[in-house]
Every structure is written in C-alpha cells, then in structure tokens.
Amino acid sequence: MIITRTPFRISFFGGGTDYPTWAAAHGGEVLSTTIDKYCYITCRQLPPFFDYKHRIVYSAIENVRHWDEIKHPAVRGVLGWANPTKGLEIHHDGDLPARSGLGSSSSFTVGLVHALAAMKGSYVSKDQLARDAIHIEQDIIGENVGSQDQIAAAYGGFNRIEFMRSGAFQVSPVIVKKARLKELQKHLMLCFTGFSRIASEVAGAQIANLKNREAELTRMREMVEEAVKILHHCKRPIEEFGDLLHQAWLCKKQLSDKVSTDEIDQIYQTARDAGAIGGKILGAGGGGFMLLFVKPENQPTVREALSQLIHVPFNFDESGSRVVLYQPNGLC
C-alpha cells in the first residue's frame, strides 16, 4: 500500500499568465504558497479475485474492468498514461472540498502520479512530477488549466514560478524572514463561499479572452515583483500587500464575466466594509474559497460580518507531494 500526501495552494499574484497560450507568447509568472491542507491518495494492488480490475473510491465508487471505463477524468487520464498491468484500488480523501480554487484537481493528479511511481518502486523528482501532471491535465485530459497548480503541488513552499515562452518553468523559493512571513500569515483569512464551480469552464472563458486582456495580464504579472519587494522590505507596511491583492482582484475580474458573480461581489464588499483591506477569489473564479487580507484586530468583525461562511484556519506549508506510507506489495 502506498499513501501520498499532496498540499493545496494559495495563489497570490500572476494567475492567468500561466495558461500555455499566454505564456508561449508573453511568458508568465506567479507568486503562490502551499498550505497545510492536503489531498491524500491511497493506492494498492487489487487481488485478482473480483469480477472487476480497478476499484476507485472518492465521492463515488467505481468498479471497472478497464481503465477507459473510469468516469473520474483524472483517474482515467492518469491510468491511461501509466497503463498499469495489474489491478489497482485507489482511494481519495481531501481536507477541503473539490472545485474550490485551491488547486485540488492538480493536487489529486500529482498525488496519484506520485503514488503510481512509488508502486513501481521508482523515484520521481519534483520537476518530473510537475511535468507529468501538466502533460496529463493539459494534453491527455484536455482541461482548460494553467501550469502553476501542478508545480506548486509537486514542489511545495512559498515560491515565485516563472513560465518561459519555450514551455520551460523555473521555481524560485521566496526567501523572506520568518517574522515577516508570520506577519503576512496573521493577516490572511480563508473562507468558503458555499458554492463550487467547474474550474475548466470558468478558465475556458478566460482563455478565449486572453488576447483582449493583455494590459490586465501584464499588470498582474508585474504585481509578482511588487509583492516580493513588499515582503523583502520589512520596513514597508505589510498592509501594502493587502492593497496589492485588491488591485489584483480588480484586474482579475476583467478577464471574464465568469470570474465573479453578484454573490461573490457582495461577499467581498461586506468583507471590505467590515475592515478587510483586500482579497480575491482563489483559482479561476466563479466560487470556491475567498482569500482576505485583514488586520488581526479587525478579523473578529469580518468573521462576524461573514458569519454565514465557513472560515478555515491555515498555515503555510513547505512540503510538496510526499509519500507518507510506503508498503509496496508488488509492481503495478
């Protein structure tokens, strides 16, 4: 049996510039961090005593004779790519709901690819793990996704990720004093809007409109450098990071009319009225989790104003995808 633990992520700035069509023409850059909320994948070889070959357990249960019968797109895509010769039982558990803007789909893909490599007794580097997941999601499954989530899930940590026009990427850990990172974390709140969305559908609308949003995307990329400078210069008020998040949200809303909704706008305005400096919907938009930047002394007021939402405490996490249990019982 193999169990992998793969983190979810929070993306601060630059989201949208990691879409392949944009990065190939302009290059891209994002600033993100992984958090201590995870996707767990349990994988074991299935004994050949059943009338099915693969058993997949998530919010549904699938028992199939061949991988191409699997309904779960990521599992079908990964198994089609890996082409295991023996039957597998795969279980998924997550700390937070899917389709919520925290890169959960890519964490799932990365975690499953990692588990299958471990089943074969193979070591896979963070770089290769990210590349394999990007290939599976973009080329095999055909999702409308960027490339930052797979990289964040594989590498872990607080990173500046640059996307080259050539298709290459570079991951640079953001070196910040612990006290400054702690200060940033104390100013962040994470709350669930209560509704999920299909990220690929929201992202598809953004991708179709990229050529008309060059100014916004260029500005969103510039914010990565500005945010890093704010973090590095400890004498600058940390509230400047929150102001920048607000600017980024205004830019992001221009990418597509599917990024926000009347309900999301109302939640955000309520938070601002209660003391939030900035914030954004995480991921492609349309629902899921909202990140808010709020002074610690104002957080009780914001929490009360948004009492209908689920608030999720979190910490930054430095670990990428990890094998947390390794008890192989044969090759897959």
Side-chain angles (χ1 to χ4, degrees), residues 209-227:
N209 201 35
L210 289 180
K211 61 182 180 297
N212 299 319
R213 290 293 176 260
E214 184 170 338
E216 288 85 354
L217 287 163
T218 299
R219 175 69 186 121
M220 291 167 72
R221 180 180 181 178
E222 292 171 349
M223 291 179 181
V224 172
E225 174 66 19
E226 293 179 25

Side-chain angles (χ1 to χ4, degrees), residues 98-155:
R99 300 175 181 175
S100 57
L102 296 172
S104 57
S105 296
S106 293
S107 294
F108 181 99
T109 303
V110 168
L112 182 54
V113 170
H114 205 173
L116 294 184
M119 286 287 290
K120 294 179 180 180
S122 300
Y123 167 78
V124 57
S125 68
K126 294 180 178 181
D127 180 82
Q128 192 60 52
L129 191 55
R131 291 181 185 282
D132 288 343
I134 290 170
H135 168 64
I136 290 166
E137 291 192 349
Q138 294 179 357
D139 303 325
I140 295 178
I141 304 176
E143 295 277 6
N144 293 315
V145 294
S147 303
Q148 65 161 313
D149 293 353
Q150 305 89 338
I151 297 168
Y155 278 80

